[in-house]
């Protein structure tokens, strides 16, 4: 069994032939973030693949900015997941959640910009064996408020998929 050091996940044992899930805590723009690395038994995961994960994570801030821009654009379009997510979570919001989640006291102040500021990246799944869904990014308004998330994915080159999904 060989081991490789990861900047984000510590020392990883490269034990081929079994499923592996590695979790790490990370901080991005002052916010806590969970990272999960999922390697399937049939994936070719070696030292080079681990280094690629660490390398790609260096560009996570840019990836998050791209997704936020996409969400902002989709908030302006009818029937998109981000717009429906916003409507659902803001339709019958209680006053205490309005202040706690969005930082405003009046529902009229709940603009797309306020929503975007409240939407946080809480989790990143990394799937090195799935080049088209290498990164899966979960955005939330906070687990204390909802278990619903907006999900975006990017390929192994950091190209964001053009579809943002609403999942629970």
């Amino acid at each position: 069994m060989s081991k490789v050091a990861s900047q984000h996940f510590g020392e990883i044992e490269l034990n081929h032939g079994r499923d592996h899930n590695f979790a790490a805590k990370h901080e991005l723009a002052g916010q806590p973030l969970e990272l999960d690395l999922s390697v399937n038994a049939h994936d070719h995961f070696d030292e080079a693949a681990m280094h690629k994960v660490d390398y790609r994570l260096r560009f996570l801030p840019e990836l998050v900015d791209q997704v936020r821009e996409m969400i902002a654009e989709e908030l302006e379009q009818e029937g998109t997941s981000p717009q429906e997510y916003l409507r659902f979570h803001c339709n019958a919001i209680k006053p205490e959640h309005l202040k706690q989640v969005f930082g405003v006291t009046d529902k009229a102040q709940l603009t797309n910009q306020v929503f975007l500021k409240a939407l946080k990246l809480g989790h990143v799944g990394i799937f090195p064996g799935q080049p088209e869904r290498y990164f899966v990014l979960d955005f939330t308004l906070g687990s204390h408020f909802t278990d619903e998330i907006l999900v975006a994915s990017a390929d192994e080159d950091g190209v964001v998929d053009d579809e943002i999904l609403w999942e629970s």
Side-chain angles (χ1 to χ4, degrees):
M1 308 290 164
S2 61
K3 294 182 180 184
V4 64
S6 165
Q7 165 185 355
H8 295 90
F9 293 94
E11 194 168 80
I12 301 286
E13 188 172 313
L14 301 174
N15 185 4
H16 302 286
R18 293 188 325 177
D19 290 350
H20 295 281
N21 292 303
F22 305 99
K25 300 286 184 195
H26 187 65
E27 190 174 295
L28 186 65
Q31 297 293 319
L33 175 64
E34 294 177 11
L35 300 176
D36 284 317
L37 174 63
S38 297
V39 181
N40 292 325
H42 63 276
D43 292 343
H44 176 74
F45 192 73
D46 57 11
E47 187 172 351
M50 185 68 250
H51 290 308
K52 182 176 181 178
V53 168
D54 282 333
Y55 175 77
R56 288 288 176 215
L57 282 170
R58 290 180 26 202
F59 299 98
L60 188 59
E62 290 87 352
L63 190 60
V64 170
D65 289 345
Q66 287 177 34
V67 172
R68 285 189 170 284
E69 287 173 18
M70 288 177 64
I71 292 171
E73 289 173 14
E74 289 193 16
L75 286 172
E76 303 293 332
Q77 301 170 23
E78 280 300 315
T80 61
S81 292
Q83 188 185 65
E84 295 299 319
Y85 184 90
L86 170 63
R87 282 188 184 149
F88 177 82
H89 286 92
C90 301
N91 204 15
I93 192 167
K94 297 176 184 174
E96 64 269 16
H97 285 141
L98 194 60
K99 180 69 175 162
Q100 181 184 14
V101 175
F102 297 104
V104 296
T105 55
D106 186 345
K107 210 171 181 180
Q109 297 172 306
L110 190 49
T111 63
N112 288 352
Q113 291 75 24
V114 168
F115 171 77
L116 280 169
K117 185 177 179 186
L119 194 63
K120 305 288 188 235
L121 177 65
H123 177 263
V124 176
I126 306 159
F127 303 90
Q130 299 180 31
E132 299 302 315
R133 279 180 57 92
Y134 193 85
F135 286 115
V136 177
L137 297 91
D138 299 340
F139 289 83
T140 181
L141 291 171
S143 59
H144 63 283
F145 177 63
T146 182
D147 60 355
E148 310 269 333
I149 54 176
L150 284 176
V151 180
S153 61
D155 68 15
E156 65 183 345
D157 295 322
V159 177
V160 179
D161 187 50
D162 63 354
E163 186 176 20
I164 296 172
L165 305 172
W166 175 7
E167 297 181 1
S168 51

